[in-house]
Amino acid sequence: MQIGMVGLGRMGGNMSERLRAAGHEVVGFDNDATKSDVGDLKGLVEALAAPRAVWVMVPHGSPTTSSVHALAELLSPGDVVIDGGNSRWTDDLEHANYLHERGIGFVDVGVSGGVWGKTNGYALMVGGADPHVARLMPVFTALKPEGDFGFVHAGGVGAGHFAKMVHNGIEYGLMQAFAEGYELMAASEVVTDVPAVVKSWRKGTVIQSWLLELLDRALDADDDLSALRGYAEDSGEGRWTVEAAIDNAVPLPVITAALFARFGSRQDDSPAMKVIAALRNQFGGHAVTAAPGMVEKGADAPGADVTPPPIG
């Protein structure tokens, strides 16, 4: 099958190579001219035979919207656009409607697999109309892992990215659990070889998983993770998962806590914890740790007033 690929970064580039290895013809375009097969989107569309299929693999938000709108002006009725980035599912509805007005189909695909997908295959969560999905099955089959798993037609437009959003929310929770378990063992004096414990869990335990294997690999390279800073960004999907939970009145305490833990990781000196420290000092005379250049306060230190305020 012939397909266009817009965006040839780590994901788009590797997916293109996997598709070519499976015998498909890929015409790629990227803003980096050294990676492109064509000079621009117009050239990409002209290189494809109708009915065309163009896969967009660029960052979510305005880059994806700009790409979809540009393709809408170049493609023809009967063509189909696939968004395989990390778009929000509500954006899919807008993009699908925009393309539908021009007779162009739209399919959203949540893609998981990261840098390992080229070799192991990509898990694909697909949303879209049955005829569009059926037409693209040769591409999906080439990208997915071998066997019965790794692909789902989750529903109509938006369902693929909604499923991927929930997938990433679960991922947040799993990673946070591994992180907390690691920190507890490292902080105790009971376990003397934390990396060895993690490695032992890889077989025969109920928590054996790919994430656990990746943690083991990281500890093999840096047994106390001293080369890393404890700072974690979020791609946005964790936030969207929590927002969807609020919209549907579904409790997500683990995923929400994992998201907030990432926010906490970005604070060098937490304003909230300053308030907690100040309050403990005020009501109980508990010692506080001073900021650089300041004097620490304890129960007997000047300014550590523990006299209860008047009531009323």
Side-chain angles (χ1 to χ4, degrees), residues 78-89:
D79 295 343
V80 62
V81 173
I82 307 101
D83 177 8
N86 284 328
S87 294
R88 190 167 186 166
W89 69 276

Side-chain angles (χ1 to χ4, degrees), residues 175-187 194 197-198 201 215:
M175 287 194 288
Q176 185 66 25
F178 282 129
E180 292 176 8
Y182 169 85
E183 183 174 0
L184 177 57
M185 288 190 293
V194 176
V197 173
V198 172
W201 288 345
L215 175 57

Side-chain angles (χ1 to χ4, degrees), residues 144-150:
K144 69 179 285 295
E146 293 184 8
D148 297 333
F149 307 112

Side-chain angles (χ1 to χ4, degrees), residues 97-189:
N97 289 333
Y98 189 86
L99 293 169
H100 179 72
E101 293 174 356
R102 293 157 176 78
I104 302 167
F106 179 85
V107 171
D108 59 284
V109 183
V111 181
S112 182
V115 296
W116 299 91
K118 177 183 173 181
T119 302
N120 299 337
Y122 300 89
L124 306 174
M125 292 147 270
V126 178
D130 290 345
H132 295 149
V133 175
R135 174 182 156 196
L136 295 166
M137 278 309 302
V139 170
F140 297 147
T141 299
L143 289 173
K144 69 179 285 295
E146 293 184 8
D148 297 333
F149 307 112
F151 172 85
V152 62
H153 182 188
V157 168
H161 280 142
F162 194 98
K164 178 59 163 49
M165 175 188 75
V166 174
H167 165 282
N168 280 28
I170 293 170
E171 181 183 294
Y172 277 45
L174 291 173
M175 287 194 288
Q176 185 66 25
F178 282 129
E180 292 176 8
Y182 169 85
E183 183 174 0
L184 177 57
M185 288 190 293
S188 76
E189 296 180 354

Side-chain angles (χ1 to χ4, degrees), residues 242-268:
V242 172
E243 290 171 6
I246 294 170
D247 292 341
N248 290 277
V250 174
L252 296 186
V254 172
I255 293 173
T256 303
L259 174 65
F260 286 1
R262 294 197 184 191
F263 296 164
S265 78
R266 302 168 202 167
Q267 296 179 318
D268 292 327

Side-chain angles (χ1 to χ4, degrees), residues 11-307:
M11 290 290 285
N14 283 343
M15 292 168 70
S16 296
E17 290 189 35
R18 185 174 174 90
L19 286 170
R20 289 189 178 108
H24 296 286
E25 180 185 352
V26 180
V27 180
F29 170 72
D30 192 273
N31 287 330
D32 182 349
T34 63
K35 299 178 180 179
S36 293
D37 300 313
V38 292
D40 52 24
L41 286 180
K42 185 175 184 293
L44 180 140
V45 170
E46 291 175 346
L48 300 173
R52 305 170 186 85
V54 179
W55 191 302
V56 177
M57 205 68 188
V58 300
H60 67 78
S62 59
T64 294
T65 297
S66 297
S67 297
V68 169
H69 286 194
L71 287 168
E73 302 305 315
L74 297 168
L75 295 172
S76 304
D79 295 343
V80 62
V81 173
I82 307 101
D83 177 8
N86 284 328
S87 294
R88 190 167 186 166
W89 69 276
T90 50
D91 291 345
D92 295 331
L93 303 180
E94 296 178 7
H95 296 157
N97 289 333
Y98 189 86
L99 293 169
H100 179 72
E101 293 174 356
R102 293 157 176 78
I104 302 167
F106 179 85
V107 171
D108 59 284
V109 183
V111 181
S112 182
V115 296
W116 299 91
K118 177 183 173 181
T119 302
N120 299 337
Y122 300 89
L124 306 174
M125 292 147 270
V126 178
D130 290 345
H132 295 149
V133 175
R135 174 182 156 196
L136 295 166
M137 278 309 302
V139 170
F140 297 147
T141 299
L143 289 173
K144 69 179 285 295
E146 293 184 8
D148 297 333
F149 307 112
F151 172 85
V152 62
H153 182 188
V157 168
H161 280 142
F162 194 98
K164 178 59 163 49
M165 175 188 75
V166 174
H167 165 282
N168 280 28
I170 293 170
E171 181 183 294
Y172 277 45
L174 291 173
M175 287 194 288
Q176 185 66 25
F178 282 129
E180 292 176 8
Y182 169 85
E183 183 174 0
L184 177 57
M185 288 190 293
S188 76
E189 296 180 354
V190 180
V191 176
T192 57
D193 193 341
V194 176
V197 173
V198 172
K199 189 177 293 291
S200 76
W201 288 345
R202 288 184 55 169
K203 295 294 181 182
T205 71
V206 295
I207 61 170
Q208 64 185 51
S209 64
W210 188 40
L211 280 176
L212 182 62
E213 292 177 19
L214 295 177
L215 175 57
D216 181 34
R217 288 174 60 92
L219 292 172
D220 278 345
D222 182 6
D223 63 1
D224 62 356
L225 303 179
S226 58
L228 302 177
R229 178 185 171 199
Y231 181 102
E233 282 288 0
D234 66 286
S235 63
E237 291 184 305
R239 303 182 190 212
W240 304 340
T241 306
V242 172
E243 290 171 6
I246 294 170
D247 292 341
N248 290 277
V250 174
L252 296 186
V254 172
I255 293 173
T256 303
L259 174 65
F260 286 1
R262 294 197 184 191
F263 296 164
S265 78
R266 302 168 202 167
Q267 296 179 318
D268 292 327
D269 193 11
S270 168
M273 288 301 103
K274 287 185 177 183
V275 172
I276 298 298
L279 289 173
R280 293 183 76 246
N281 178 257
Q282 288 295 319
F283 69 67
H286 302 289
V288 295
T289 301
M294 303 298 289
V295 178
E296 292 190 5
K297 293 181 180 180
D300 300 322
D305 184 2
V306 296
T307 304

